[in-house]
Amino acid sequence: MISKIISEEKTNIIEEVNLASKKEAGDTIQKLDKTATMYTYASTEKGNVKVKLKLSDEKIKKIQEICQLFNNEAGELINVLHQTQHALGYLPAEVQEVIAHSLNVSTAHVYGVVTFYSYFTMIPKGRFPISICTGTACYVRGAEKVLEEFKRQLGIVVGETSADGKFSLSCLRCVGACGLAPVVLVGEKVYGRVSPDGVKAIIEAYKDK
Amino acid sequence: MTKVTSLADLKKMKEVLDAERAKYTKHLHVCGGTGCHAAQSIGLDANLKEILADKGLNQEVQVTMTGCFGFCEKGPIVKVVHDNTFYTEVTPKDARDIVDEHIVKGSKINRLLYTDPVTNEQVSDSQQMGFYKKQHRIALRNCGAINPENIEDSIINDGYLALGKVLTQLDAQQTIDIIKKSGLRGRGGGGFPTGLKWDITSKVTADQKYVVCNADEGDPGAFMDRAILEGDPHSVIEAMAICGYSIGASIGLVYIRAEYPLAITRLKMAINQARELGLLGKNILGKGFDFDIELRYGAGAFVCGEETALIHSMEGLRGEPTFKPPFPSVSGYLGKPTNVNNVETFANIPVIINNGAEWFASIGTEKSKGTKVFALAGKINNVGLIEVPMGITLREIIFEIGGGIKDGKKFKAVQTGGPSGGCLTEKHLDTPIDYDNLVEVGSMMGSGGMIVLDEDDCMVSVAKFYLDFIVEESCGKCTPCRIGNKRLYEILEKITQGKGTMEDMERLKNLSSVIKDTSLCGLGQTSPNPVLSTIQNFKEEYLEHIIDKKCRSGQCKALLHYDIEAELCVGCTACKRCCPVNAITGDKKQPHVINQDICIKCGACEEKCAFDAISIKLEKKIHTEHGND
């Protein structure tokens, strides 16, 4: 069973599998199409695998609707990606393929844009995404130590999601609350003047939610 | 809302609103900026309103949630307007005292007043506070003074009067001439004369032109554009319309960071309200001028602050810059003439039109007119957003407005201009700040980030921090920036690891000058600034890292070690038990020893030791026969 979807760069593929019968977030996993150009990389209990997600019809329809909202114009790609990510939580390869098809551009073009901007993610975020501000003001007031503590406590690195899908860790540059540096965001809630000692309490607050 | 169809209508509306406002005898302003939002100012606002309503005072006292006051260090802020009392660090629970004591009985609440860190005296009047005394707020004039979610508040404060004046009394060229004469220069960092930019765009003939507002504030540690959009969105909308009229454009686009949800909400709200009143749309104020504004969202790419990259991003492409010329003024968004200005630049426009070019040009220095907003942050007492006249010195900013260095530490450097700026030191403290002086001393204005560093900061690490940012944000299009900055970062990493050589110093300098000379856009051309300015001003620190293998501030972990003082160690084994890598050995009741080869310098043992026997030593321990690496 797939436990989480991981980023391409961090993947050391052990096998390419057909997990057609397994379900992941409402999407079935297709038999690997050798001619496909983009895959989703996932970790299973056996190790990392390269798979092809089969999106549910419902999701495909949703993506197509978003594209339609912007008249399927290629120039609106970034707006489409924003809305799609907002609706689905992330932009895996298969979603990008649907968008490319609707806007009549190549998947490579969509992939190029998705990977260019740090706001877009191909990995699902946790239910409580944790972002640590590593802007200069927070950096000089010790953000790095706070980040290290989050990594240690959650056992994940920046860009990953915890195995239970609860927390994901990311860095962001300046939320404009420099008076409260160092700043940590959990979802949209802002925690100010966070010290490494305060990390545990923040995580605890979401443990049972 | 009924539409405003002429300037007379607008003035009439202002009169009516003024009269309504006059019904209130007292006003309370509560800060609703992002920093104060995070510190529960919404609950405070609600409590104040509820308590006033309970006491039947809500017809006399008006509570307004405003934009950022700038004094983020001490937020949330409440200002009692009629006697200019400035309360700091107010919690929702304090609402009752503010109403009972101050509003009803008229006595000020001492515990909420600001205490000056230098004189230790309480100051109640914001005008007398060091933080505000030397400020001159033009772009931020309405931030902290109006409710940004209500266009009426803006109109009471002369909103859209400048647009009215331009549409009824001036032609396009006359408007451009006023901006030219005012000497306003682009506040996004480049400092290009705004009037000249408008002039060039206006002279190009095309069937469609665009006004673009660059709100993709990417500098880590700079948040002035966000404060303006959150605190006074109407002045930006008004200025964009004035620009549209001047250059002949009917469409305005705001390129804004998706990471600024509050600014987006308020801007959208403001655009809708302006449309409802007919201040955006067709035939504005009955003068036959059409103008409307749309939003475009950034997606977290620093390089998109560069105007050609920004335009590509708006077109749905990767935000990679292209070679100039052609300048956007000639061929920009969708190949049409496009005028790109920054948020802060726009915020100055309505005041210049209302007060005149001469008034604006009388503020500032010879070549840099007006004021500049700076985001003051880092190791400083008064973190916040300030607006000061050009020509003010760093000393005035840091020690008078900023209230000096936090915790009584010693000032070391101030980093201006964001990741592409430079670090200035003690000897630059009395340099008057303007565009040209900052470039001369090896930094730049940038968008106005100002990060203060103290004696605990390692300058090599600071340079490495900025290079790390640049490496991540380089778009990768041109080789010098993509590969050169990566190499710069690696050399700095090597030095902070204690593995640097003297040749590395030369390499850093040579590589920096190549990157500066050969990069495609402004990002690459300025990216080595942090390295060059720290080498120039803190060469001795680099040499210490390289020759003595020492980091004087203890920031570079590889260059320090933990040591157990044998005389102080009682052999309680607490450190041994908490060490995550089993680097500590020793028998019970015998002094323990740290094996430096295994130690990962996590500091856990130092924290655990109850006898202060474990301490950090500021040099690399030479622990093997093979020398010091």
Side-chain angles (χ1 to χ4, degrees):
Chain A
M1 186 64 194
I2 289 180
S3 63
K4 62 178 174 180
I5 294 183
I6 51 180
S7 80
E8 190 181 343
E9 297 88 45
K10 290 183 186 116
T11 312
N12 177 22
I13 301 297
I14 53 151
E15 57 175 340
E16 297 179 354
V17 288
N18 170 16
L19 293 166
S21 61
K22 309 284 184 193
K23 291 220 167 195
E24 164 70 12
D27 304 322
T28 7
I29 288 150
Q30 245 177 354
K31 188 170 180 236
L32 196 70
D33 176 2
K34 296 273 182 200
T35 61
T37 48
M38 284 175 76
Y39 306 98
T40 290
Y41 298 82
S43 82
T44 67
E45 61 233 347
K46 282 185 184 169
N48 295 336
V49 293
K50 190 159 129 187
V51 296
K52 196 77 191 154
L53 295 176
K54 186 175 186 324
L55 301 178
S56 62
D57 291 345
E58 207 178 305
K59 265 191 195 170
I60 294 176
K61 211 172 140 236
K62 176 82 201 160
I63 300 166
Q64 285 167 342
E65 272 170 22
I66 291 170
C67 294
Q68 190 59 50
L69 210 64
F70 294 98
N71 295 324
N72 290 329
E73 269 180 42
E76 300 281 358
L77 176 59
I78 292 177
N79 280 335
V80 169
L81 293 173
H82 269 296
Q83 291 244 346
T84 312
Q85 181 164 305
H86 189 74
L88 306 180
Y90 72 122
L91 300 166
E94 295 75 9
V95 169
Q96 295 178 37
E97 283 168 345
V98 178
I99 294 173
H101 187 75
S102 300
L103 303 186
N104 201 18
V105 291
S106 70
T107 316
H109 176 79
V110 178
Y111 178 76
V113 172
V114 168
T115 50
F116 186 86
Y117 297 98
S118 61
Y119 197 80
F120 299 131
T121 172
M122 289 177 63
I123 308 168
K125 291 252 152 101
R127 266 203 300 136
F128 304 108
I130 300 175
S131 317
I132 289 106
C133 178
T134 47
T136 322
C138 289
Y139 168 78
V140 300
R141 286 199 186 177
E144 222 174 352
K145 289 187 186 113
V146 175
L147 174 62
E148 286 306 318
E149 191 60 22
F150 269 108
K151 281 193 206 164
R152 205 176 66 80
Q153 299 240 357
L154 295 172
I156 52 174
V157 299
V158 173
E160 280 190 345
T161 304
S162 63
D164 58 2
K166 205 165 222 178
F167 298 106
S168 55
L169 201 55
S170 65
C171 290
L172 52 81
R173 306 280 188 182
C174 200
V175 291
C178 306
L180 302 171
V183 171
V184 171
L185 264 85
V186 182
E188 295 204 342
K189 183 160 171 55
V190 181
Y191 292 86
R193 301 198 175 109
V194 179
S195 68
D197 296 338
V199 168
K200 199 168 180 189
I202 295 178
I203 296 174
E204 287 294 322
Y206 294 88
K207 270 272 160 71
D208 302 321
K209 280 191 187 170
Chain B
M1 250 186 264
T2 44
K3 289 218 176 207
V4 178
T5 52
S6 66
L7 179 58
D9 255 16
L10 182 68
K11 287 183 173 163
K12 182 101 187 292
M13 183 179 172
K14 181 172 153 51
E15 270 172 37
V16 174
L17 291 170
D18 279 339
E20 263 175 48
R21 166 66 49 95
K23 286 182 196 157
Y24 291 100
T25 51
K26 285 167 185 165
H27 296 272
L28 289 175
H29 288 174
V30 182
C31 181
T34 297
C36 289
H37 254 196
Q40 294 189 318
S41 69
I42 295 181
L44 173 62
D45 178 70
N47 281 6
L48 282 170
K49 283 178 181 153
E50 198 188 309
I51 296 167
L52 285 168
D54 271 357
K55 296 196 176 286
L57 289 169
N58 51 353
Q59 299 301 315
E60 285 168 50
V61 187
Q62 192 183 34
V63 181
T64 309
M65 188 149 220
T66 67
C68 182
F69 278 80
F71 201 20
C72 309
E73 179 76 37
K74 296 282 176 192
I77 307 285
V78 173
K79 188 170 180 178
V80 185
V81 180
H82 67 276
D83 58 7
N84 227 359
T85 309
F86 197 84
Y87 288 133
T88 55
E89 295 179 278
V90 187
T91 65
K93 275 189 280 178
D94 296 319
R96 186 158 294 280
D97 280 355
I98 292 178
V99 176
D100 288 349
E101 298 297 321
H102 195 141
I103 300 296
V104 178
K105 293 186 197 154
S107 51
K108 293 184 182 179
I109 304 154
N110 286 334
R111 72 183 151 88
L112 297 177
L113 290 176
Y114 169 72
T115 309
D116 188 303
V118 182
T119 59
N120 241 346
E121 275 171 29
Q122 283 191 327
V123 192
S124 80
D125 183 351
S126 60
Q127 294 308 313
Q128 297 307 314
M129 285 165 59
F131 185 74
Y132 286 106
K133 228 191 249 173
K134 292 219 162 168
Q135 288 201 44
H136 187 142
R137 290 161 87 90
I138 297 175
L140 297 178
R141 63 195 178 281
N142 288 332
C143 290
I146 66 167
N147 176 357
E149 299 184 358
N150 186 349
I151 193 169
E152 294 178 351
D153 249 29
S154 169
I155 289 172
I156 291 172
N157 285 275
D158 297 341
Y160 296 96
L161 277 186
L163 178 63
K165 181 174 172 185
V166 166
L167 291 182
T168 53
Q169 297 167 23
L170 304 169
D171 65 22
Q173 193 56 47
Q174 285 169 325
T175 314
I176 292 172
D177 287 342
I178 292 176
I179 303 302
K180 267 182 157 176
K181 228 170 121 189
S182 73
L184 177 66
R185 294 169 68 172
R187 298 295 193 243
F192 191 82
T194 308
L196 186 59
K197 208 180 216 181
W198 288 21
D199 205 13
I200 297 168
T201 321
S202 79
K203 297 227 159 74
V204 183
T205 38
D207 54 345
Q208 179 67 57
K209 295 182 192 177
Y210 296 96
V211 176
V212 171
C213 173
N214 181 353
D216 188 51
E217 190 168 48
D219 266 19
F223 50 99
M224 55 285 294
D225 292 351
R226 140 180 238 158
I228 292 170
L229 290 171
E230 286 177 3
D232 187 18
H234 287 288
S235 71
V236 176
I237 294 172
E238 183 183 7
M240 286 178 75
I242 293 172
C243 178
Y245 175 75
S246 308
I247 66 167
S250 61
I251 297 176
L253 299 158
V254 181
Y255 184 81
I256 186 167
R257 283 181 83 187
E259 291 92 331
Y260 281 1
L262 187 62
I264 292 173
T265 311
R266 288 191 176 156
L267 188 60
K268 271 188 186 165
M269 223 183 246
I271 291 172
N272 284 335
Q273 290 173 351
R275 276 186 198 141
E276 273 172 39
L277 275 185
L279 294 166
L280 281 179
K282 298 262 176 232
N283 193 19
I284 296 170
L285 296 177
K287 287 288 162 188
F289 169 61
D290 304 338
F291 191 78
D292 211 337
I293 296 176
E294 290 170 29
L295 299 192
R296 289 283 187 280
Y297 303 107
F302 178 65
V303 69
C304 289
E306 203 282 339
E307 51 185 11
T308 58
L310 181 151
I311 287 167
H312 292 311
S313 180
M314 291 202 308
E315 292 168 341
L317 306 170
R318 287 163 70 95
E320 289 171 346
T322 39
F323 191 74
K324 294 192 278 193
F327 288 90
S329 301
V330 178
S331 172
Y333 183 59
L334 305 178
K336 304 290 182 190
T338 305
N339 183 87
V340 186
N341 283 133
N342 161 272
V343 173
E344 191 190 332
T345 315
F346 276 127
N348 278 294
I349 302 285
V351 204
I352 294 174
I353 300 288
N354 283 334
N355 295 5
E358 290 78 15
W359 166 80
F360 191 79
S362 70
I363 307 161
T365 64
E366 197 197 332
K367 285 186 178 160
S368 304
K369 302 296 185 192
T371 56
K372 179 76 191 89
V373 182
F374 290 103
L376 204 51
K379 308 283 184 61
I380 190 152
N381 277 319
N382 301 337
V383 168
L385 210 56
I386 60 164
E387 183 169 355
V388 287
M390 297 275 190
I392 195 169
T393 64
L394 281 170
R395 190 183 299 282
E396 287 170 281
I397 293 182
I398 295 167
F399 291 96
E400 293 182 37
I401 298 172
I405 309 301
K406 242 187 160 52
D407 304 325
K409 298 257 169 130
K410 200 170 165 307
F411 167 80
K412 185 172 200 175
V414 53
Q415 214 281 349
T416 70
S420 332
C423 287
L424 304 179
T425 66
E426 192 92 40
K427 67 173 188 252
H428 302 113
L429 281 179
D430 294 309
T431 312
I433 298 178
D434 67 12
Y435 288 99
D436 312 288
N437 281 347
L438 281 177
V439 171
E440 209 163 284
V441 295
S443 183
M444 61 185 226
M445 187 72 86
S447 64
M450 212 175 246
I451 312 284
V452 178
L453 307 172
D454 69 11
E455 54 193 306
D456 292 340
D457 290 302
C458 163
M459 299 313 290
V460 185
S461 298
V462 167
K464 196 178 86 175
F465 168 79
Y466 280 111
L467 256 298
D468 180 34
F469 178 84
I470 295 287
V471 167
E472 202 164 292
E473 293 298 338
S474 169
C475 77
K477 183 170 178 172
C478 75
T479 320
C481 178
R482 182 184 67 242
I483 300 177
N485 283 314
K486 181 93 181 148
R487 294 291 95 82
L488 277 184
Y489 176 81
E490 286 164 0
I491 297 172
L492 289 171
E493 174 74 14
K494 196 175 148 198
I495 294 175
T496 56
Q497 292 287 332
K499 296 174 185 167
T501 60
M502 286 307 288
E503 288 79 53
D504 286 330
M505 291 293 280
E506 281 313 303
R507 247 176 239 138
L508 282 176
K509 284 191 217 161
N510 289 339
L511 194 49
S512 293
S513 69
V514 172
I515 296 170
K516 272 181 105 119
D517 291 345
T518 56
S519 288
L520 174 67
C521 80
L523 182 113
Q525 286 158 14
T526 53
S527 59
N529 276 349
V531 179
L532 291 175
S533 72
T534 46
I535 290 185
Q536 194 184 357
N537 295 320
F538 298 94
K539 196 171 178 186
E540 70 285 357
E541 271 190 51
Y542 276 86
L543 296 181
E544 273 174 16
H545 280 77
I546 293 171
I547 300 167
D548 309 332
K549 310 293 175 200
K550 180 184 162 189
C551 172
R552 62 169 84 175
S553 47
Q555 293 282 315
C556 299
K557 277 197 166 175
L559 298 185
L560 51 84
H561 70 276
Y562 285 86
D563 218 4
I564 301 178
E565 220 50 72
E567 294 92 74
L568 294 173
C569 180
V570 298
C572 71
T573 74
C575 57
K576 188 175 161 183
R577 278 178 282 130
C578 78
C579 178
V581 290
N582 297 324
I584 302 178
T585 49
D587 294 328
K588 248 186 196 168
K589 298 195 177 163
Q590 292 296 318
H592 285 39
V593 184
I594 301 174
N595 183 337
Q596 302 295 341
D597 287 331
I598 303 175
C599 175
I600 55 165
K601 294 154 188 170
C602 67
C605 54
E606 189 200 10
E607 267 170 47
K608 264 273 149 32
C609 182
F611 305 93
D612 288 334
I614 303 180
S615 58
I616 302 172
K617 297 285 185 298
L618 281 189
E619 61 276 334
K620 193 177 163 103
K621 179 102 170 179
I622 300 168
H623 49 73
T624 61
E625 289 171 4
H626 310 296
N628 50 13
D629 64 356

